[in-house]
Every structure is written in C-alpha cells, then in structure tokens.
C-alpha cells in the first residue's frame, strides 16, 4: 500500500479560488523560514526545562489574542504582504508553497507555483461551543463560530479540506461546516454583503453566513471527523466531490445496542450518503475515537485504550479491523501510508502492507502528526512535544513549550503547533530553532485532529 500511495500522490492544496498546486514526491512540502523579527521566545534546552532568549520587542513569548494581536513576528515566507491585520481576503495574506498542479497538467491561473491566500488553524473552544479560526502567520483570530444551534455540542475534532474549509464534530452529536473565506459564503439573510465573524466576537446561531451547513446527528458520542481529498478540476481550479468521514456511538456501557456507525457525508450539502454499522469493536461509550484518511480517501479509525483499528474502503465500504498494539488517543496517517496511534504510552505504527505493528515507548500525551519528512511530532509530558523518527522508531528530539499541549498539528510552513488542554493557549514552535510563539484567547480548547489540513495533504490523493 505504501508504494501504491507514493505512485498515486499528486495532490494539490488549494486554499483560494484560482490557485492550485500539488506535489509529486509522496508528501506535502513545508519549508521553514525563520521570522525576520522575533520577540522573546521560549527556547528548548534539556527535556523538561526551558530558557528565555531575549528579543528586540518583548520580554514574553509572542502573543496573539482574539481580534487584536500584539504578535510582532513577521511571516515565515513574507506573507505579511497584503495583510491588514483584520480579515484575510483573496487579495493577500499568509501564503505557503504548494508545488505543482495535480497530474502535471497546465497550471490554473493565479498561481501555478502555489501561494494561496490564507493559512489557518481551526481550534474548538469546547467549553463555549464555538470554533476559532486563527491566522497561522500573524497569530490573529479572524473568526469564531457557534457550531451547534444550542451552543451545547461540546465540539472537539476539526478537519480541514483541500479547499481550506473546515468541518467540526460535536461530541454531543452533530456536524458543522464553515467556509474559510467570505467570498465562498452565500448571502442568505437579505442584508447586503456577507455577515460573518472577523474576530473572537461570534455571531448568534443562524446569523453567520459562512456557516455552510449543520447536520444534526443523534449520538451520545461523536468524536472523529476527517475529510477525503476529492477530485481536482483543472478547468475550474476547484476541488470537487469532497466527502467527510465521521462516526457516532450510542453504547453507554450498560445498554450496549451495538450502534457504532461510520458515516460518509456530502461535503457540499451535509447530507449523509452512506452509513456503515461497525460490529466487533470493543464496546464502550466513545466508540471510534480518532480518524484519518489515507491517500485514497479510505477511513482509518482507532479506539481509546487498546481497542481496534478500523479500516473502511472508500469505494466498497468494506470493513477490516486489527487489534491495536498499545493504548490509542490521537491518530494520523503519514506521508508513506503508515497509520499511527499515539497516547501516554507512546506511539504505535501500523503498516497496511504487512498488517503489523511497531511501537516506541515515550512519555506521550494526546495527538500526533507527521511532517512529511520522516518526523512524527506528538504530545508529550510534562510540557513537551516529542519528535519520533518514523523509520527507526526512536525518539530523536524534544521541543519545550510553556505548558502541556494535548493537540498537535503542523502548518504549511512546517511549524509545529501545540494546543493546550483547557488553558487558553496555542503554541507555534519552530522545530529547528525551537522558538515558541503563543496565541492566547481560546476558551477551554480541546482539539488534536487535522486542524490545518496539512495531514490530509501529507497523506496524498489519487491522481486519477
């Protein structure tokens, strides 16, 4: 399967209409360029310790708060050109290198070399029932959205598609999609222009026209969510046929009804297109806990604890399962097609070709993601991000952060993000320089899925 994935990968990441790109090397490319100016940053020294390095403008790590950020770092690849400090539009903003057009075809107008117009990380504010859209370059929150009509969905996992739009699952049931850019949103309320949040001040339910759709689902536990890649239309420079995998469970330990469903949802409408009832997993309250897709858009799901790894074929909807090698919490699929589960026990790597596991024991925590170049970053204890070599299965580095991070993501510059558990912080870490920039202003955050879309791009997509 790994060789098949490498031969099929020719995906692009399109985060703006008219822009296109892709890759032909089996992984997303993310090139680190240090900020041209830096405030005081927390710099890793030895595991479990941190030292402060003085910078020219501040004595604390860079902070971005809500709509008014005092972050002073410039973008890794000069994306500040065209950024006004409020909302980012198609005329300018954070940019990252995307490579070539899928299948080597003629470049679409507007950016044959890549450089779409925005890069966001989407983080659930579980205690508030909202989701934040944070510019990964200037650390400004450019939108916050209620994600269930009653604001009581206890949202958690987010997933970003190859168009840049996001879907979020409510742990209490229900799925919501939000468009990343106002020009994609529909004017539905009769008031001229698009009414949408531009900072941490969210609009009432039904008032934000960038909330594309909400699909209610009656589950006591709905955690995982993952976009499929879809198909790239070179004539329109748009991704089409993008679907969403999610899963819901109604077992409650006492009254197990065996209703553990994996659902395939239409990304444009929110309509449920297929429901697969999964039988044979360990019965518990949570059901399938984490999910990711491989380069063919197939579903991979894991259970909390030592449960089952679940595979569902995107086309046939056939199910396969394997016992997990160690306790699972976060999960991801890397650029070579390996499936990873991560937890406090360490990390386990599943090879779909041989159907075998390998493990590495480290002081882990929650989520994990691979950088496309052979390093898995995972949440670690006490206040660490742990780097694991994906081939040798050994710990090779640690990144110190100011407090424990539960969620791990990577942006398209290659910066590693850590999202705290309940504290209001998200940290952006340079994995080589080990400098830390801090966003503050979250409300009981709890996200450790593909918050940026990098993992989806990193997994690849079919070329045909």
């Amino acid at each position: 399967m790994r060789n098949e994935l490498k031969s099929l990968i020719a995906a692009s990441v399109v985060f703006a209409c008219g822009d296109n790109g892709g890759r032909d090397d089996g992984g997303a490319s993310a090139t680190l360029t240090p900020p041209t100016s830096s405030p005081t940053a927390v710099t890793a020294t030895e595991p479990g310790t941190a030292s402060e390095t003085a910078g020219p403008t501040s004595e604390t790590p860079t902070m971005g708060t809500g709509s008014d950020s005092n972050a002073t770092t410039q973008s890794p690849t000069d994306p500040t050109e065209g950024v006004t400090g409020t909302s980012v539009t198609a005329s300018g903003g954070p940019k990252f290198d995307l490579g070539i057009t899928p299948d080597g075809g003629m470049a679409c107008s507007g950016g044959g070399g890549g450089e779409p117009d925005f890069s966001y990380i989407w983080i659930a504010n579980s205690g508030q029932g909202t989701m934040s859209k944070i510019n990964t370059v200037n650390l400004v929150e450019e939108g916050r959205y209620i994600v269930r009509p009653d604001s009581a969905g206890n949202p958690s996992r987010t997933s970003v598609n190859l168009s840049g739009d996001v879907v979020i699952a409510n742990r209490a049931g229900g799925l919501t999609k939000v468009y990343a850019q106002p020009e994609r949103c529909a004017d539905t309320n009769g008031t001229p222009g698009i009414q949408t949040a531009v900072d941490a001040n969210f609009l009432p339910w039904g008032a934000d026209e960038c909330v594309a759709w909400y699909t209610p689902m009656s589950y006591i536990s709905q955690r995982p969510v993952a976009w499929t890649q879809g198909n790239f239309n070179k004539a329109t420079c748009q991704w089409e046929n993008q679907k969403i995998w999610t899963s819901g469970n109604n077992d409650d330990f006492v009254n197990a009804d065996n209703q553990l469903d994996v659902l395939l949802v239409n990304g444009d409408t929110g309509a449920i297109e297929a429901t697969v009832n999964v039988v044979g997993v360990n019965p518990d309250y949570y059901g399938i806990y984490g999910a990711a897709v491989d380069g063919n858009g197939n579903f991979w799901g894991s259970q909390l604890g030592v449960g089952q790894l679940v595979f569902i074929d995107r086309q046939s909807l056939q199910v396969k399962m394997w016992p997990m090698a160690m306790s699972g919490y976060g999960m991801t699929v890397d650029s070579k097609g390996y499936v990873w589960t991560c937890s406090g026990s360490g990390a386990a790597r599943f090879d779909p070709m041989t159907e075998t596991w390998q493990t590495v024991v480290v002081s882990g925590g929650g989520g994990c993601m691979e950088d496309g170049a052979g390093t898995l970053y995972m949440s670690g204890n006490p206040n660490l991000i742990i780097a694991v070599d994906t081939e040798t299965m050994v710990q090779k580095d640690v990144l110190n952060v100011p407090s424990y991070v539960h969620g791990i993501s990577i942006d398209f510059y290659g910066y590693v993000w850590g999202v705290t558990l309940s504290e209001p912080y998200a940290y952006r870490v340079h994995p080589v320089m080990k400098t830390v920039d801090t966003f503050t202003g979250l409300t009981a955050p709890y996200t450790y899925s593909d918050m940026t879309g990098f993992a989806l791009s990193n997994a690849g997509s079919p070329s045909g």
Side-chain angles (χ1 to χ4, degrees):
M1 180 177 287
R2 292 201 307 274
N3 292 334
E4 179 185 9
L5 286 178
K6 291 181 72 174
S7 66
L8 289 175
I9 290 172
S12 76
V13 182
V14 181
F15 276 29
C17 179
D19 289 336
N20 69 92
R23 63 192 187 284
D24 58 2
D25 59 355
S29 60
T31 302
L32 282 164
T33 303
T36 56
S37 64
S38 177
T40 297
V42 176
T43 305
T45 53
E46 297 179 357
T49 65
S51 64
E52 289 188 354
T53 303
T57 59
S58 173
E59 294 183 355
T60 60
T62 299
M63 292 283 183
T65 58
S67 61
D68 184 12
S69 171
N70 62 355
T72 57
T73 53
Q74 295 180 6
S75 74
T77 52
D78 195 25
T80 52
E81 179 182 357
V83 176
T84 64
T86 55
S87 59
V88 177
T89 67
S91 61
K95 301 181 180 182
F96 47 82
D97 186 12
L98 296 179
I100 60 170
T101 307
D103 302 327
M106 183 176 64
C108 295
S109 61
E115 296 201 348
D117 295 321
F118 58 92
S119 173
Y120 296 120
I121 185 168
W122 302 79
I123 301 173
N125 299 294
S126 298
Q128 191 181 53
T130 66
M131 173 177 58
S132 292
K133 178 178 74 173
I134 301 165
N135 185 311
T136 67
V137 174
N138 58 22
L139 302 182
V140 171
E141 183 168 1
E142 297 185 3
R144 188 173 293 207
Y145 311 89
I146 296 175
V147 295
R148 207 172 86 151
D150 60 4
S151 299
N154 195 12
S156 174
R157 282 57 152 185
T158 62
S159 180
V160 180
N161 66 17
L162 297 185
S163 302
D165 303 321
V166 68
V167 67
I168 184 168
N170 289 277
R171 284 180 284 185
L175 205 62
T176 302
K177 177 184 177 180
V178 177
Y179 289 115
Q181 290 191 300
E183 50 264 44
R184 298 185 189 168
C185 311
D187 189 353
T188 57
N189 61 12
T191 302
I194 297 297
Q195 280 70 57
T196 186
V198 295
D199 52 28
N201 298 301
F202 53 89
L203 303 182
W205 178 260
D208 197 309
E209 293 175 311
C210 284
V211 176
W213 49 255
Y214 165 71
T215 300
M217 297 185 184
S218 298
Y219 295 109
I220 62 172
S221 173
Q222 185 175 351
R223 261 91 175 154
V225 63
W227 282 95
T228 69
Q229 293 87 345
N231 309 110
F232 187 71
N233 186 329
K234 288 179 285 187
T236 63
C237 295
Q238 299 289 332
W239 284 95
E240 299 173 346
N241 199 34
Q242 295 169 310
K243 310 294 183 183
I244 302 155
W245 290 105
T246 188
S247 180
N249 183 50
N250 277 325
D251 289 351
D252 60 2
F253 296 108
V254 177
N255 301 307
D257 63 3
N258 203 32
Q259 188 182 341
L260 196 165
D261 299 329
V262 175
L263 306 104
L264 191 64
V265 179
N266 186 298
D268 294 325
T269 67
I272 299 171
E273 296 186 342
T275 301
V276 181
N277 182 242
V278 179
V279 180
V281 299
N282 291 353
D284 63 17
Y285 172 84
Y286 301 105
I288 295 178
Y289 203 71
V293 301
D294 59 25
N296 291 317
N298 301 316
F299 174 89
W300 292 90
S302 62
Q303 289 194 272
L304 185 64
V306 185
Q308 301 289 314
L309 180 69
V310 179
F311 169 85
I312 300 179
D313 185 271
R314 165 70 181 83
Q315 301 299 327
S316 68
L317 301 181
Q318 291 183 333
V319 180
K320 293 184 69 175
M321 291 187 292
W322 302 267
M324 290 165 52
M326 64 167 52
S327 177
Y329 206 99
M331 76 162 301
T332 190
V333 175
D334 72 17
S335 57
K336 294 186 177 181
Y338 290 120
V339 182
W340 293 82
T341 63
C342 305
S343 69
S345 304
R349 186 190 75 184
F350 181 75
D351 186 338
M353 292 178 64
T354 63
E355 300 185 8
T356 58
W357 291 92
Q358 286 186 279
T359 61
V360 55
V361 177
V362 295
S363 180
C368 56
M369 187 179 293
E370 191 241 358
D371 66 352
T375 300
L376 180 83
Y377 291 97
M378 60 181 293
S379 166
N381 281 300
N383 299 336
L384 304 173
I385 297 174
I386 299 172
V388 174
D389 189 297
T390 59
E391 288 297 328
T392 64
M393 297 295 291
V394 297
Q395 178 179 324
K396 64 181 185 179
D397 203 359
V398 294
L399 309 175
N400 278 222
V401 285
S403 58
Y404 171 75
V405 294
H406 199 60
I408 298 294
S409 194
I410 296 173
D411 68 24
F412 284 88
Y413 297 108
Y415 285 79
V416 182
W417 285 76
V419 178
T420 57
L421 184 64
S422 297
E423 292 184 298
Y425 309 120
Y427 304 117
R428 184 185 67 185
V429 186
H430 193 300
V432 178
M433 298 175 64
K434 300 186 178 180
T435 52
V436 180
D437 297 323
T438 300
F439 174 86
T440 186
L442 299 169
T443 305
Y446 190 78
T447 304
Y448 49 95
S449 50
D450 185 11
M451 297 172 262
T452 62
F454 180 84
L456 179 62
S457 173
N458 192 34
S461 71
S463 58

